[in-house]
Amino acid sequence: MNARGIPGFLGGALLDLLLPPRCHICRTQCSGADPLHICDDCTAQLPFITEPFCSVCGVPFSATGDSHPCGRCLTDPPPFQAARAVFTHTGSCRDLLHAFKYAGQAHLRRPLGLLAARTLVSFAGHCRADLLLPVPLHRARLRSRGFNQALLLAELLSRHWQIPLQRQALLRTRPTVPQMELDRNARLHNLNDAFAVASPALVADRRIILVDDVTTTGSTLRECALVLKRAGAAAVFAVTISHAP
């Protein structure tokens, strides 16, 4: 009998025996019991964001102490209620995201999405969200890349958090230069009028969690949240995999 004829658990065990899973980071063999497929040593070295961080935008602080709003959020409050990221955008996290986003390794959405689902589950519960919305790509970028990384992550988060996913409520109306290719000043203006809501009825009076892969200056999340609030969203939150330090 081949693996397809064996019930799921036994079939998976047989496949792990024949083709042992390898850590996505160091490529050593690791246990197939955890679907992350990241070994314990590499997991321990991932740059998880811990307190203190900005209690509004989620930017990590280098000092010690309690979480509190950062200077920017005090002087220029964002249109979203709160945002959180799992990691600082450094080291192995950055490498995984680059492979996922730019090297076509879409399977990496699983470990990245699972880490986000586990780490930010309390935050998601606090949001009491009605919908998850992925940050959209312009159709030209989508054709070039072949997938929207934010949508792939949002699909997994939707399943784990049991929050409905709305794929097309938020639209990208014009192509933009990738944020990471710009300096801070250019990033702040690059996304002006780049997003629109397909129909206000899709978001009106809803509590929404935006999903994206990386937060740099926060301009993308701010612009998306502003458009959603103008369309009548009751509250907007955001989650990303990483945040630039």
Side-chain angles (χ1 to χ4, degrees), residues 5-52:
I6 300 174
F9 177 80
L10 293 178
L14 179 58
L15 288 175
D16 284 347
L17 181 63
L18 297 176
L19 297 170
R22 292 186 176 274
C23 173
H24 289 298
I25 297 173
C26 68
R27 305 309 300 164
T28 59
Q29 291 184 8
C30 59
S31 169
D34 191 326
L36 282 180
H37 290 173
I38 297 177
C39 72
D40 291 343
D41 288 342
C42 288
T43 298
Q45 295 179 43
L46 285 168
F48 284 93
I49 291 176
T50 57
E51 292 196 272

Side-chain angles (χ1 to χ4, degrees), residues 86-152:
V86 184
F87 306 108
T88 55
H89 193 63
T90 57
S92 52
C93 169
R94 180 187 57 213
D95 294 343
L96 285 173
L97 276 168
H98 280 202
F100 171 44
K101 189 172 179 178
Y102 301 118
Q105 297 187 37
H107 65 281
L108 292 176
R109 72 94 171 250
R110 183 170 179 80
L112 292 168
L114 285 174
L115 284 164
R118 296 173 182 180
T119 305
L120 300 178
V121 62
S122 295
F123 176 72
H126 167 78
C127 295
R128 296 181 287 109
D130 303 300
L131 292 174
L132 288 181
L133 266 61
V135 171
L137 289 181
H138 188 267
R139 58 183 177 274
R141 184 75 51 76
L142 184 60
R143 283 196 300 269
S144 172
R145 187 169 297 163
F147 59 87
N148 177 359
Q149 70 279 356
L151 174 57
L152 295 185

Side-chain angles (χ1 to χ4, degrees), residues 211-225:
V211 179
D212 205 1
D213 57 333
V214 182
T215 304
T216 48
T217 63
S219 299
T220 299
L221 299 180
R222 282 174 171 254
E223 190 67 23
C224 289

